[in-house]
Amino acid sequence: MTEPQLDHLVYAVPDLAAGVAEFAERTGIRPVPGGRHPGGTANHLVRFGPTSYLEIIGPDPEASARPRAFGLETLTAPRLVAWAVRPGDIDKAVRQSREQGYDPGDVQPLSRRTPAGVLLEWRLTRREDPAAVRPVPFLIDWGDTPHPASSDLPLVSLTSFSAVHPDPDVLRRDLAALGVRLDISQERETALLAVIDTPLGHVTLR
C-alpha cells in the first residue's frame, strides 16, 4: 500500500477571531478565511505547500450553537487536535486498515462554502473519539474538488511534525494499520507537535 500523504493539520481554537489574531502575532502570517461548515464551525488557512495546509478551526461566529467537533464545545485554549492524510484510494485504505486491526471509521461526505460562495465537497473517515487530541489521522479524499492548498494561501514551512504519547508502541501499531509513519516520543499526556518556519522564526504548535 502506498503511504498516504499528509493533507492537513487541525489547530482548534475556542474563539476563531482571537485564535487567528494570536497566530498572526506569533508568526507574522495572517491566515485567510476558508469558509463555513454546516456543523457550526468555520476556518482560516495557511499552506505548507501545494498539497498540504494548516486549518485553524473554531466556532462559526454566525452559528447559534457551539459545535462539538474537535472538542470545541469545551475547548478553552488553542490546541493542535488532529491531522488528516490522503490515501490513493480511501475506501481501499479503510478496508486494509480494518484488516490490520484498526477501524478508522466510516467514510462520510462533508462540505463547506468558501467566502466567494464556492461549494467544496470531500469525503473523510469519521470515528467517535472523546479524546482531546487524536494522534491517529483521519483519511480524506477531495475527489474532483480543487485541493485547498492549491489556491493562493499564505505560505509557511512545516519544519517537523511529531507526537508524544503514553504508549508509543500502541500508537505505532494503529498508524501502521493505516500505512502511516510518525516520530513519537513517550510522555504522560498525548499531544501533537508541529514546528513551522515563519517570518518571525520557528513557532511550535501543540
Side-chain angles (χ1 to χ4, degrees), residues 109-182:
L110 280 181
S111 65
R112 66 173 166 86
R113 286 198 179 273
T114 69
V118 177
L119 180 65
L120 305 182
E121 298 178 288
W122 62 93
R123 301 166 68 221
L124 54 69
T125 54
R126 303 195 73 167
R127 172 187 169 102
E128 289 298 324
D129 190 344
V133 177
R134 301 171 191 181
V136 180
F138 58 94
L139 308 177
I140 192 165
D141 175 12
W142 290 95
D144 296 329
T145 290
H147 194 274
S150 66
S151 61
D152 189 23
L153 298 176
L155 178 66
V156 298
S157 295
L158 181 61
T159 301
S160 67
F161 177 58
S162 60
V164 296
H165 192 271
D167 193 337
D169 288 339
V170 168
L171 178 53
R172 290 190 187 99
R173 182 192 64 203
D174 292 342
L175 293 173
L178 291 172
V180 173
R181 290 173 293 179
L182 184 68

Side-chain angles (χ1 to χ4, degrees), residues 47-204:
R47 63 189 174 101
F48 300 132
T51 60
S52 61
Y53 66 99
L54 173 70
E55 175 185 28
I56 301 175
I57 190 169
D60 182 352
E62 299 182 27
S64 56
R66 192 169 183 89
R68 297 178 59 189
F70 299 115
L72 288 171
E73 190 175 34
T74 57
L75 189 69
T76 58
R79 179 185 293 144
L80 197 58
V81 293
W83 57 303
V85 296
R86 190 174 58 256
D89 182 329
I90 191 170
D91 298 296
K92 181 179 179 181
V94 168
R95 290 195 304 270
Q96 291 182 333
S97 179
R98 286 170 173 164
E99 291 170 358
Q100 296 296 319
Y102 177 77
D103 186 357
D106 294 331
V107 181
Q108 299 180 15
L110 280 181
S111 65
R112 66 173 166 86
R113 286 198 179 273
T114 69
V118 177
L119 180 65
L120 305 182
E121 298 178 288
W122 62 93
R123 301 166 68 221
L124 54 69
T125 54
R126 303 195 73 167
R127 172 187 169 102
E128 289 298 324
D129 190 344
V133 177
R134 301 171 191 181
V136 180
F138 58 94
L139 308 177
I140 192 165
D141 175 12
W142 290 95
D144 296 329
T145 290
H147 194 274
S150 66
S151 61
D152 189 23
L153 298 176
L155 178 66
V156 298
S157 295
L158 181 61
T159 301
S160 67
F161 177 58
S162 60
V164 296
H165 192 271
D167 193 337
D169 288 339
V170 168
L171 178 53
R172 290 190 187 99
R173 182 192 64 203
D174 292 342
L175 293 173
L178 291 172
V180 173
R181 290 173 293 179
L182 184 68
D183 289 335
I184 308 166
S185 301
Q186 186 170 22
E187 287 190 15
R188 190 165 68 177
E189 300 293 334
T190 299
L192 295 169
L193 297 89
V195 179
I196 56 177
D197 189 15
T198 78
L200 299 183
H202 286 96
V203 172
T204 299

